[in-house]
Amino acid sequence: MIASYTVAGSQEYCVIRSADADVRICLIPPLFDETNRMRRTLIEVMRLLAKDNVGSILPDLPGCNESLADLSNMGFAQWRLAMRAVCKQHRATHSAAFRGGILLDDTLSLPRWRLAPVKGANLLRTMLRTKIASAKEDSISHTMDALMDEGRTNGLELAGNTLSSAMLTDLDSAVPDDGPDIRSVTIGNGEQQIAGSALWLRAEPDYDSDMARSITADLLKWSE
C-alpha cells in the first residue's frame, strides 16, 4: 500500500505492508544510487514479512524517488528528522537499515538492525571515483581533492544526485554509531551473516531472492 508521512510541513511517500501488525519494522534504504539497486529486494522482504504477520514501512527520503522536495536542499539533519517522523507516524516498533541507511538511525529510540554498515566517506569516495572516471571519457581531468574543494563551496552533482555542500560535509564525516539493541550483519554464510550478493555493487538494479529470504528470516528471529 502506498501511504505518506509528513515532515517539515511536506508530505513524503512510503510503502506499507501489514500496518496493523503488532511488530512493524521501518526499512531504512541505502542512500543515493544504491537504493535503486536494492529496492526490488526490499519490497520482496516486505511481502515475506507480511506472510508472517510482521508489518513494514519503506519510506522515500526527502528529495529521493517520488519526493517533490529538492535534494540539493537536504542534509543529514533533514533526513534524520524524516526517519523519526515516519517511524512515529506509522508506529514503527523496530528499524532495519541497509548500507548508508544506518547513518540515519542514530536518533531512533527503537531496536536497530543493520546490514553491511558503511561509513559516509566510503560512499562519497565511490561517487567521486565514478565522476572522475566519467569525466576522463570526455578528456576532462579531476582529482578527489579538487572536487571536494569545489563541493564544499558550491555542492556537486554525483551519480545523478545534486548534493549540497552540507550534504557532502555530512557524508564525509558520518560514521555508524554504537549503542544498545543493535544487531549488525554482513553478507556471507556465517552466524552473523546474510546469504546473497552485494547488490549495491551491481552496475544496474537487480534482485536476489536468496538475500530477500535470508534477510526476512533474520528479521523475524531478531524481532520476535
Side-chain angles (χ1 to χ4, degrees), residues 141-152:
S141 179
H142 290 304
T143 66
M144 284 198 185
D145 288 342
L147 285 173
M148 280 303 295
D149 286 343
E150 177 187 347
R152 290 187 183 99

Side-chain angles (χ1 to χ4, degrees), residues 47-108:
R47 188 187 71 81
L48 293 172
L49 287 172
K51 290 178 65 175
D52 274 82
N53 198 34
V54 169
S56 55
I57 309 110
L58 178 61
D60 282 351
L61 292 168
C64 301
N65 295 334
E66 301 300 321
S67 174
L68 297 179
D70 187 347
L71 178 59
S72 66
N73 293 330
M74 296 298 139
F76 273 26
Q78 290 90 340
W79 279 0
R80 287 178 175 131
L81 179 63
M83 292 305 94
R84 292 197 299 272
V86 71
C87 286
K88 180 178 180 181
Q89 291 167 34
H90 291 288
R91 301 174 296 117
T93 59
H94 301 71
S95 75
F98 300 81
R99 289 283 287 167
I102 63 96
L103 302 171
L104 307 178
D105 73 0
D106 54 353
T107 61
L108 300 179

Side-chain angles (χ1 to χ4, degrees), residues 84-178:
R84 292 197 299 272
V86 71
C87 286
K88 180 178 180 181
Q89 291 167 34
H90 291 288
R91 301 174 296 117
T93 59
H94 301 71
S95 75
F98 300 81
R99 289 283 287 167
I102 63 96
L103 302 171
L104 307 178
D105 73 0
D106 54 353
T107 61
L108 300 179
S109 300
L110 299 171
R112 293 178 286 170
W113 183 98
R114 293 170 166 177
L115 173 63
V118 62
K119 294 180 180 179
N122 292 351
L123 296 175
L124 181 56
R125 281 196 296 270
T126 297
M127 291 191 289
L128 287 169
R129 283 195 293 267
T130 300
K131 186 175 184 69
I132 290 169
S134 177
K136 279 185 178 179
E137 295 180 359
D138 296 323
S139 300
I140 300 172
S141 179
H142 290 304
T143 66
M144 284 198 185
D145 288 342
L147 285 173
M148 280 303 295
D149 286 343
E150 177 187 347
R152 290 187 183 99
T153 302
N154 302 315
L156 277 176
E157 182 176 332
L158 296 176
N161 302 286
T162 303
L163 307 183
S164 67
S165 57
M167 178 67 83
L168 292 169
T169 299
D170 289 343
L171 267 174
D172 199 29
S173 61
V175 296
D177 75 316
D178 294 321

